[in-house]
């Protein structure tokens, strides 16, 4: 999760999950072919790339010099699905996994150590996949959050039920200082961390739907200045357009991972 905590002048910019517990803290993509993935997202989103300390199969995507997301070329090696996954900050990975299992969710991977922290891949009781991270976050993480290049939305069967499930795992709307706030606004459950909107939960997904865009899932959104240009670039570089809205387009990359590009605006 962290590539270099040092910044000019010898100071540090290290943020721990202990101070931002319960909030989304990162998004990551599993890939079969790193080169194809890099070329596609460079063309569609203008990203640049940096090798992560975890090894040659791991990359950080940079937008304007700010880390935006992680790419792991391990889908084939680890027999994992190709997908974008949000990660939530936790103070204890072991406790979070136990809470998920106690409430009817499942643990697919971990917790396992990825210095400087620990991670696990989980699914809620409706099948939506998400991850947890315990430890240090990427350098300049506060800048990443303020810039808000990424946000996430859970499409689920029952937004209120899902909010209770995640709230009990991540201590949302609890009496603990620094916890995330949860409110119902405009037909959605809205999650805020230190005043920033960091996630939304909406009802209506169908558990047995054959279309994965309709089944319960966490959808990763990237904010862009030109949605139409991103859609054209995706089709020109081996991807496809799944759906179009006024200010949002759902895309699929050449590996099959789906994501949304959203017009940059106040959320």
């Amino acid at each position: 999760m962290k590539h270099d905590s040092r910044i000019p002048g010898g100071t540090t910019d290290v943020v721990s999950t202990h101070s931002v517990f319960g909030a989304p803290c990162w998004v990551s993509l599993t890939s079969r072919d790193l080169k194809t993935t890099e070329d596609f997202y460079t063309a569609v989103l203008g990203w640049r790339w940096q090798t992560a300390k975890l090894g040659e199969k791991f990359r950080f995507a940079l937008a304007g010099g700010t880390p935006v997301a992680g790419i792991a070329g391990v889908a084939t090696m680890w027999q994992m699905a190709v997908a974008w996954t949000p990660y939530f900050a936790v103070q204890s990975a072991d406790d979070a996994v136990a809470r998920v299992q106690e409430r009817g969710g499942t643990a697919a991977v971990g917790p396992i150590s990825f210095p400087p922290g620990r991670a696990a891949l989980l699914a809620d009781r409706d099948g939506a996949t998400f991850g947890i991270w315990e430890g240090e976050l990427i350098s300049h993480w506060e800048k990443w959050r303020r810039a808000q290049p990424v946000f996430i939305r859970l499409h689920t069967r029952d937004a209120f039920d899902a909010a209770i499930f995640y709230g009990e795992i991540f201590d949302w709307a609890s009496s603990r200082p620094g916890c995330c706030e949860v409110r119902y606004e405009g037909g959605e459950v809205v999650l805020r961390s230190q005043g920033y909107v960091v996630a939304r939960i909406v009802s209506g997904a169908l558990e047995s739907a054959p279309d994965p865009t309709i089944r319960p899932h966490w959808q990763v959104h990237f904010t862009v200045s030109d949605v139409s240009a991103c859609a054209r670039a995706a089709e020109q570089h081996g991807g496809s357009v799944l759906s179009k809205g006024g200010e949002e387009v759902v895309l699929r990359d050449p590996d099959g991972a789906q994501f949304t590009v959203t017009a940059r605006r106040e959320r």
Side-chain angles (χ1 to χ4, degrees):
M1 295 294 294
K2 185 188 75 164
H3 57 87
D4 185 3
S5 62
R6 294 286 170 180
I7 59 176
T11 59
T12 61
D13 183 30
V14 175
V15 176
S16 165
T17 58
H18 288 268
S19 62
V20 294
F21 67 92
C25 62
W26 193 238
V27 294
S28 182
L29 171 67
T30 49
S31 166
R32 296 187 184 94
D33 185 328
L34 273 179
K35 181 62 167 61
T36 299
T37 298
E38 289 180 358
D39 290 346
F40 176 82
Y41 286 97
T42 295
V44 175
L45 298 175
W47 288 349
R48 296 296 178 262
W49 304 93
Q50 178 174 320
T51 301
K53 288 186 176 180
L54 292 174
E56 284 299 318
K57 291 186 177 294
F58 298 85
R59 300 282 192 276
F60 283 112
L62 306 177
T66 300
V68 176
I71 309 293
V74 297
T76 302
M77 181 175 63
W78 290 357
Q79 297 183 339
M80 297 176 67
V82 173
W84 278 103
T85 303
Y87 282 76
F88 292 82
V90 297
Q91 294 185 325
S92 169
D94 291 318
D95 288 349
V97 170
R99 289 183 181 186
V100 168
Q101 293 175 318
E102 288 167 359
R103 289 159 179 79
T106 56
V109 179
I112 55 178
S113 295
F114 286 105
R118 301 176 73 221
L121 187 64
L122 310 164
D124 65 25
R125 52 192 171 213
D126 285 327
T129 301
F130 65 100
I132 57 169
W133 174 257
E134 171 197 351
E136 294 178 7
L137 303 179
I138 58 168
S139 61
H140 310 298
W141 183 81
E142 291 286 3
K143 178 182 177 183
W144 176 80
R145 178 167 64 174
R146 287 193 298 272
Q148 294 186 309
V150 184
F151 73 100
I152 59 175
R153 179 179 277 117
L154 175 62
H155 297 261
T156 190
R157 175 184 52 81
D158 184 323
F160 289 103
D161 182 70
I164 292 171
F165 173 85
Y166 287 95
E168 291 177 342
I169 295 166
F170 298 130
D171 288 327
W172 293 350
S174 67
S175 59
R176 295 181 59 189
C179 71
C180 292
E181 299 177 358
V182 181
R183 293 181 182 177
Y184 186 71
E185 301 174 6
E188 297 180 327
V189 175
V190 179
L191 181 71
R192 285 182 170 84
S193 174
Q194 299 181 16
Y196 294 95
V197 175
V198 291
R200 296 178 183 271
I201 303 175
V202 296
S203 300
L206 304 176
E207 292 177 83
S208 59
D211 185 345
T213 64
I214 300 175
R215 292 198 299 268
H217 68 283
W218 281 99
Q219 186 78 356
V220 176
H221 295 240
F222 298 104
T223 56
V224 299
S225 57
D226 192 333
V227 168
S228 297
C230 291
R232 289 193 299 270
E235 292 180 316
Q236 292 167 0
H237 291 82
S240 57
V241 176
L242 299 182
S243 66
K244 290 184 179 181
E247 295 185 313
E248 291 188 350
V249 177
V250 181
L251 303 175
R252 178 179 286 143
D253 72 16
D255 252 351
Q258 70 176 47
F259 62 101
T260 298
V261 290
T262 303
R264 187 171 286 113
R265 65 187 187 279
E266 185 177 351
R267 297 188 300 278

